[in-house]
């Protein structure tokens, strides 16, 4: 055996390096190809197939589903799908912004407590996330129902007519969305804030930085990774979520999630559903790339 | 000693014989069968009975298409899905010789358009989609009408629509003088536009599953809701002021029993269908959940209150205004796109 390489004081060769490398990443690679790459490939193939008369799949590849996704259908061009996608993006963006706006102060407040309290408070934030989303959303229906105290108070104060409930409506949808997503925003923010190096903040103050500059360069620059993680963890799941808007918003408007479900359900049009799903994956990836690029730029400051 | 051993052997053998019969697995909507039936079925036929449930017919269809056809023997589902299931070869023809009780089926439910000569299916129970409303809060002395929902001038404050594409578009189509199964893009578009206007009204609380809408009426949050008659029967029992009607015309559906194409126990499956078509058994099932029975021979055994209840058994004049939903094959897309329009504007 001719060994030309020495690593960690031991002689080795290329083959051995390759094998040990493969051993290290192999499990991860296998996992990724089984649960991510494989399904994604299947989805991409299905997206370009077409529906048979009875919901069967015809494996003739064409671009029809792309055209249908942007709105060309039986009724000529209609903005329906684009409206649905736009509405989902707006809902996800507002939800994410609200979660960050609420999660940031909450993370600071928790990080400022005693060690004992911190564990308890984080647990309180996380525990609701362990309960099934549908059940939590139904719980909101009960809380906002017309015989529950909040609605009774609103009826008494004259904000809503007698016998009316506080849902369905936009406010109820955002309440449900925030309660669903807040834990995923708080946790990464908290881990960032907890490790904050306060000497940098002091240095910023010593150098006569105003409140904004101190925050911008002393705090924000340090917590950017947490902020990015929080944005990703709230934005991407809320893009596909539709239970909350159905149960608390009266199901008057479809979101992308509903549209995809309709194709796999009532419409029995799996290829078109796959195309919409693929569109959602691509949109998520693009926003992820933008966020990461922004993050790496921010990190350098 | 010998005798005891012999007895034991006989007992063991008979036990084995009983256990020999493979179970029959039935896949059906949840809370749709009297829980006493499995034990009685086993006593009558020797087959143990396993009930597996689903919530929406689409879930069932997706599961069978994904390969579960060899996990269930009998599937109970709604008429509108039968054509699709036959074409996709998810079900197989019945063994008519094993179903002598087929003579009990009411002629108006035998030989349906979606399954001529009952080659694949026999009916389980049937019902309608209609309007549940609070009689104390609607205009007095007025016959129930879809105008309470669909006409801006007569709209009730507030009401709930059903979150199902075909029945809702169907009612819209019927109001426009068309068939619920229309394949004419103009008619379907008109129905969608009507629904968009209705949904846009501040008096509309939105869409909900039948049960959800009924619950909102029960709680006093809404005056009327579109729901299934089976849910309405129970609500009316709970609150006397409520009533149910199919108004000017609506959707009638019939749930049927089918045998899956790769049923592990075909004989048991046919035995189950035959068992349910028995007069006493059919009556027992319908008395349990207040849906109508399609088994004519069962009528004498139906609870008196149910038999005269027009919510369950509409009169002949009403029956003429009801329409079945048919499989729309390639035009399924037309209705799906119309529903997307309803839900996006």
């Amino acid at each position: 055996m001719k060994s030309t390489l020495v690593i960690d004081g031991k002689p080795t060769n290329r083959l051995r390096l390759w094998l040990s490398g493969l051993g290290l990443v192999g499990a991860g690679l296998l996992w990724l190809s089984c649960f991510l790459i494989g399904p994604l490939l299947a989805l991409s193939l299905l997206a370009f197939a077409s529906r048979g008369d009875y919901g069967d799949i015809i494996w003739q590849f064409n671009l029809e589903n792309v055209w249908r996704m942007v709105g060309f259908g039986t009724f000529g061009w209609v903005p329906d799908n684009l409206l649905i996608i736009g509405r989902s993006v707006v809902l996800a963006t507002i939800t994410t912004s609200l979660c960050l706006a609420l999660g940031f102060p909450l993370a600071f407040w928790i990080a400022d407590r005693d060690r004992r309290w911190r564990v308890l408070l984080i647990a309180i934030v996380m525990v609701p996330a362990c309960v099934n989303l549908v059940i939590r959303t139904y719980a909101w229906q009960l809380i906002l129902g017309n015989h529950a105290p909040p609605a009774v108070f609103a009826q008494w104060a004259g904000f809503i007519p007698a016998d009316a409930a506080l849902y369905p409506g936009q406010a109820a949808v955002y309440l449900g969305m925030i309660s669903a997503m807040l834990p995923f925003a708080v946790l990464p923010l908290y881990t960032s804030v907890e490790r904050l190096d306060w000497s940098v903040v002091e240095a910023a103050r010593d150098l006569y930085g105003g409140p904004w500059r101190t925050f911008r360069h002393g705090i924000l620059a340090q917590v950017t990774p947490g902020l990015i993680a929080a944005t990703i963890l709230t934005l991407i799941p809320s893009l596909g979520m539709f239970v909350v808007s159905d149960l608390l918003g009266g199901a008057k408007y479809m979101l992308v999630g509903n549209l995809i479900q309709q194709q796999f359900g009532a419409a029995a049009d799996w290829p078109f559903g796959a195309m919409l799903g693929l569109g959602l994956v691509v949109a998520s990836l693009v926003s992820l790339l933008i966020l990461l690029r922004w993050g790496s730029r921010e990190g350098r400051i | 000693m010998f005798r005891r051993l012999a007895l034991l052997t006989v007992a063991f053998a008979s036990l084995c014989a009983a256990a020999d019969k493979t179970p029959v697995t039935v896949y059906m909507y949840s809370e749709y069968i009297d829980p006493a039936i499995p034990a009685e079925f086993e006593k009558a036929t020797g087959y143990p009975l396993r009930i597996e449930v689903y919530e929406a017919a689409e879930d069932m269809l997706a599961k069978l298409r994904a390969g579960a056809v060899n996990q269930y023997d009998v599937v109970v589902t709604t008429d509108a899905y039968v054509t699709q299931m036959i074409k996709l070869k998810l079900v197989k023809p019945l063994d008519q010789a094993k179903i002598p009780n087929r003579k009990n089926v009411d002629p108006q439910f035998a030989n349906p358009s979606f399954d001529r000569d009952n080659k694949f299916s026999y009916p389980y129970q049937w019902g309608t989609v209609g309007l549940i409303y609070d009689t104390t809060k609607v205009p007095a002395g007025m016959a129930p009408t879809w105008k309470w929902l669909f006409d801006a001038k007569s709209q009730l404050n507030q009401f709930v629509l059903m979150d199902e594409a075909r029945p809702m578009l169907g009612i819209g189509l019927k109001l426009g003088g068309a068939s619920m199964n229309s394949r004419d893009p103009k008619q379907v578009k008109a129905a969608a536009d009507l629904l968009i206007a209705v949904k846009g009204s501040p008096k509309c609380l939105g869409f909900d599953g039948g049960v959800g809408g009924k619950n909102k009426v029960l709680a006093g949050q809404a005056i009327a809701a579109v729901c299934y008659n089976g849910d309405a029967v129970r609500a009316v029992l709970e609150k006397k002021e409520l009533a149910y009607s199919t108004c000017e015309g609506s959707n009638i559906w019939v749930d049927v029993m089918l045998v899956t194409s790769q049923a592990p126990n075909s004989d048991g499956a046919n035995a189950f269908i035959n068992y349910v078509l028995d007069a006493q058994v059919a009556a027992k099932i319908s008395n349990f959940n207040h849906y109508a029975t399609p088994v004519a021979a069962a009528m004498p055994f139906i609870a008196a209150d149910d038999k005269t209840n027009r919510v369950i058994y509409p009169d002949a004049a009403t029956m003429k205004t009801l329409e079945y939903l048919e499989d729309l094959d390639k035009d399924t897309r037309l209705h799906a796109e119309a529903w997307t329009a309803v839900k996006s504007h």
Side-chain angles (χ1 to χ4, degrees):
Chain A
M1 187 175 22
K2 53 175 185 183
S3 58
T4 48
L5 288 162
V6 177
I7 285 175
D8 278 345
K10 285 178 209 138
T12 182
N13 60 21
R14 266 174 194 283
L15 183 70
R16 278 197 191 173
L17 269 180
W18 268 103
L19 282 177
S20 65
L22 203 66
L24 284 172
V25 296
L29 214 58
L30 193 71
W31 178 272
L32 274 180
S33 43
C34 281
F35 295 107
L36 187 76
I37 299 167
L40 206 57
L41 272 176
L43 190 79
S44 314
L45 274 179
L46 185 59
F48 294 96
S50 38
R51 179 193 194 268
D53 280 357
Y54 298 97
D56 37 334
I57 297 157
I58 295 175
W59 295 103
Q60 281 164 358
F61 299 107
N62 56 57
L63 292 175
E64 201 203 350
N65 286 337
V66 181
W67 295 116
R68 287 175 67 192
M69 182 161 63
V70 297
F72 293 95
T74 324
F75 304 117
W77 184 82
V78 286
D80 302 358
N81 291 347
L82 299 182
L83 277 174
I84 291 169
I85 293 166
R87 199 172 279 121
S88 308
V89 170
V90 168
L91 177 76
T93 313
I94 295 180
T95 302
T96 308
S97 319
L98 288 174
C99 281
L100 292 181
L102 287 170
F104 222 167
L106 188 60
F108 269 99
W109 185 76
I110 294 176
D112 208 25
R113 302 300 102 190
D114 274 341
R115 191 172 180 74
R116 247 177 341 143
W117 278 106
R118 267 184 278 170
V119 176
L120 184 73
L121 287 169
I122 278 295
I124 290 175
V125 171
M126 290 311 294
V127 159
C130 304
V131 180
N132 182 296
L133 177 68
V134 179
I135 295 170
R136 261 186 296 160
T137 313
Y138 268 112
W140 277 114
Q141 281 198 349
L142 292 180
I143 296 170
L144 301 174
N146 57 347
H147 298 309
V152 170
F153 175 76
Q155 288 160 13
W156 172 80
F159 294 131
I160 53 172
D163 268 346
L166 291 169
Y167 81 98
Q170 286 274 316
V173 171
Y174 281 109
L175 196 63
M177 287 300 284
I178 289 171
S179 89
M181 301 315 303
L182 194 60
F184 302 106
V186 171
L187 206 61
L189 283 175
Y190 168 77
T191 47
S192 254
V193 168
E194 200 197 15
R195 282 179 312 194
L196 200 72
D197 184 358
W198 286 99
S199 59
V200 178
V201 181
E202 277 167 34
R205 286 217 185 98
D206 288 348
L207 293 167
Y208 298 102
W212 166 245
R213 295 200 67 173
T214 310
F215 174 75
R216 171 84 176 73
H217 298 288
I219 295 174
L220 198 61
Q222 288 195 64
V223 298
T224 300
L227 208 58
I228 305 256
T231 309
I232 292 170
L233 285 179
T234 42
L235 187 71
I236 288 172
S238 41
L239 259 180
M241 199 179 270
F242 59 91
V243 186
V244 178
S245 84
D246 270 4
L247 292 180
L248 295 175
K252 279 192 179 182
Y253 299 101
M254 265 192 192
L255 297 175
V256 176
N258 297 99
L259 191 60
I260 295 174
Q261 193 224 20
Q262 186 201 11
Q263 307 315 320
F264 283 97
D269 195 343
W270 291 13
F272 186 45
M275 177 55 77
L276 290 165
L278 197 64
L280 192 60
V281 170
V282 170
S284 303
L285 278 178
V286 169
S287 49
L288 202 64
L289 278 177
I290 294 171
L291 274 171
L292 289 177
R293 180 154 298 184
W294 173 63
S296 62
R297 193 167 49 102
E298 200 67 11
R300 263 184 260 127
I301 297 172
Chain B
M1 181 68 199
F2 237 110
R3 259 182 71 180
R4 197 179 284 175
L5 208 72
L7 264 173
L8 259 171
T9 318
V10 170
F12 187 71
S14 61
L15 226 133
C16 284
D20 234 18
K21 286 211 167 179
T22 34
V24 178
T25 310
V26 176
Y27 197 32
M28 67 192 326
Y29 292 105
S30 60
E31 291 177 50
Y32 206 35
I33 194 164
D34 188 329
I37 296 285
E40 291 172 13
F41 174 71
E42 186 171 0
K43 219 161 125 194
T45 63
Y47 293 110
L49 182 61
R50 276 206 302 250
I51 305 285
E52 303 238 349
V53 299
Y54 60 84
E55 293 301 327
E58 289 102 36
D59 301 344
M60 173 277 299
L61 206 56
K63 199 166 174 187
L64 290 192
R65 284 183 63 184
V69 273
N70 56 5
Q71 286 172 31
Y72 307 109
D73 300 301
V74 178
V75 173
V76 177
T77 196
T78 309
D79 54 341
Y81 295 91
V82 173
T83 308
Q84 202 179 342
M85 290 175 78
I86 295 172
K87 296 281 182 189
L88 293 176
K89 299 192 170 61
L90 299 175
V91 290
K92 67 178 172 193
L94 302 171
D95 190 346
Q96 303 289 347
K98 295 204 173 83
I99 311 175
N101 282 337
R102 63 180 190 271
K103 65 176 191 307
N104 292 342
V105 175
D106 185 334
Q108 64 173 323
F109 294 103
N111 190 24
S113 63
F114 55 82
D115 179 24
R116 286 291 168 214
D117 299 325
N118 291 98
K119 234 180 112 192
F120 292 90
S121 71
Y122 278 106
Y124 180 75
Q125 292 193 106
W126 63 276
T128 57
V129 171
L131 188 70
I132 184 169
Y133 58 98
D134 189 330
T135 51
T136 61
K137 292 179 188 160
V138 297
M142 196 174 167
T145 166
W146 287 124
K147 282 184 185 152
W148 286 347
L149 272 51
F150 286 82
D151 179 35
K153 275 173 279 172
S154 338
Q155 261 167 357
L156 300 171
N157 196 15
Q158 303 192 306
F159 62 87
V160 184
L161 301 170
M162 188 188 254
D163 205 3
E164 295 273 352
R166 291 292 305 278
M168 283 318 304
L169 283 170
I171 292 167
L173 280 162
K174 247 182 149 51
L175 289 177
S179 156
M180 288 188 134
N181 299 303
S182 171
R183 291 163 184 266
D184 179 349
K186 269 197 205 115
Q187 292 178 341
V188 176
K189 173 117 187 9
D193 288 341
L194 179 61
L195 276 170
I196 291 169
V198 170
K199 170 191 97 162
S201 158
K203 292 176 180 169
C204 175
L205 272 178
F207 298 84
D208 212 327
V211 182
K214 174 217 69 174
N215 285 341
K216 285 193 175 108
V217 175
L218 210 51
Q221 192 186 341
I223 298 179
V226 183
C227 74
Y228 291 106
N229 66 328
D231 297 321
V233 169
R234 268 167 270 177
V236 173
L237 286 177
E238 266 180 75
K239 199 172 169 184
K240 290 266 172 293
E241 299 87 64
L242 303 185
Y244 171 91
S245 168
T246 50
C247 302
E248 292 91 336
S250 183
N251 162 222
I252 179 175
W253 49 264
V254 52
D255 284 346
V256 299
M257 301 175 278
L258 306 128
V259 178
T260 58
S261 55
Q262 293 174 41
N265 186 359
S266 293
D267 287 347
N270 284 291
F272 175 79
I273 292 174
N274 187 53
Y275 182 74
V276 170
L277 294 179
D278 175 78
Q280 302 264 6
V281 176
K284 193 179 167 88
I285 289 172
S286 286
N287 285 335
F288 169 75
N289 62 11
H290 306 295
Y291 275 105
T293 183
V295 179
M299 285 315 281
F301 308 107
I302 293 289
D305 284 350
D306 285 0
K307 213 187 307 186
T308 53
N309 192 337
R310 288 277 171 254
V311 177
I312 306 175
Y313 298 97
D315 55 34
T318 309
M319 286 296 273
K320 286 205 185 82
T321 66
L322 303 175
E323 197 177 351
Y324 285 102
L325 294 176
E326 290 161 12
D327 187 285
L328 294 174
D329 48 79
K330 65 179 195 309
D331 290 317
T332 304
R333 201 172 127 181
L334 176 65
H335 282 241
E337 283 178 12
W339 189 245
T340 307
V342 170
K343 290 291 200 100
S344 62
H345 286 281

